Amino acid sequence: MLFLLLFWVSPIHVPGIEQPILAAHNSIRARVGVPPLDWSKWLAEIAQKRADELISSGEFSHRHGWSFGENLYEIRGEPANPKEVVLDWASEMPDYNYAANSCRNVCGHYTQIVWRDTRRVGCAASRTGVRTVVVCEYDPPGNFVGQRPY
């Protein structure tokens, strides 16, 4: 047990992502005519705990049975750029067919960003070594089967 404690590395919280990540979300939402999101400090605190858990465990997976929408992002090397994180999620947009309400590949990150009924978002990032994990929590959640995001 002592051996493990000697090599435990605490995650480093990545500061200053609130404004750029919120602005990037709202820019994407404006393109499809849905209202902007408000920042939730409470959701950001939940996101920080989740980002810390993912960094500490070395895992990268969504929570199951969670009551919020959740987008995850992982990068190794350079720290994550908040705007680029959101643009990466939004890059799924061409795979979403609004008329058919279908997705030909992966669309869930994009559709959560633009989900009309979502009102609040809170995001956070943790880093250790060369790995950064970004977590965004959305309330109310989106991505309900059979429903269009906007």
Side-chain angles (χ1 to χ4, degrees), residues 7-39:
F7 292 99
W8 171 257
V9 177
S10 295
I12 299 167
H13 295 180
V14 179
I17 72 166
E18 175 183 331
Q19 290 304 327
I21 209 162
L22 180 62
H25 273 83
N26 287 333
S27 175
I28 301 300
R29 289 174 66 84
R31 292 181 192 175
V32 296
V34 296
L37 296 173
D38 291 324
W39 186 259

Side-chain angles (χ1 to χ4, degrees), residues 51-116:
D52 291 349
E53 289 170 3
L54 292 171
I55 282 289
S56 296
S57 69
E59 295 179 11
F60 188 72
S61 62
H62 288 283
R63 301 177 209 232
H64 297 287
W66 190 233
S67 54
F68 302 111
E70 184 175 71
N71 278 347
L72 303 177
Y73 181 88
E74 178 181 45
I75 189 169
R76 293 181 186 274
E78 291 296 316
N81 174 304
K83 181 179 178 181
E84 290 174 8
V85 169
V86 176
L87 290 176
D88 184 70
W89 292 329
S91 71
E92 298 170 356
M93 180 179 62
D95 289 332
Y96 177 68
N97 180 324
Y98 182 83
N101 192 29
S102 64
C103 181
R104 73 173 164 192
N105 196 7
V106 175
C107 300
H109 301 98
Y110 167 69
T111 54
Q112 177 58 81
I113 290 171
V114 298
W115 199 264
R116 177 180 298 282

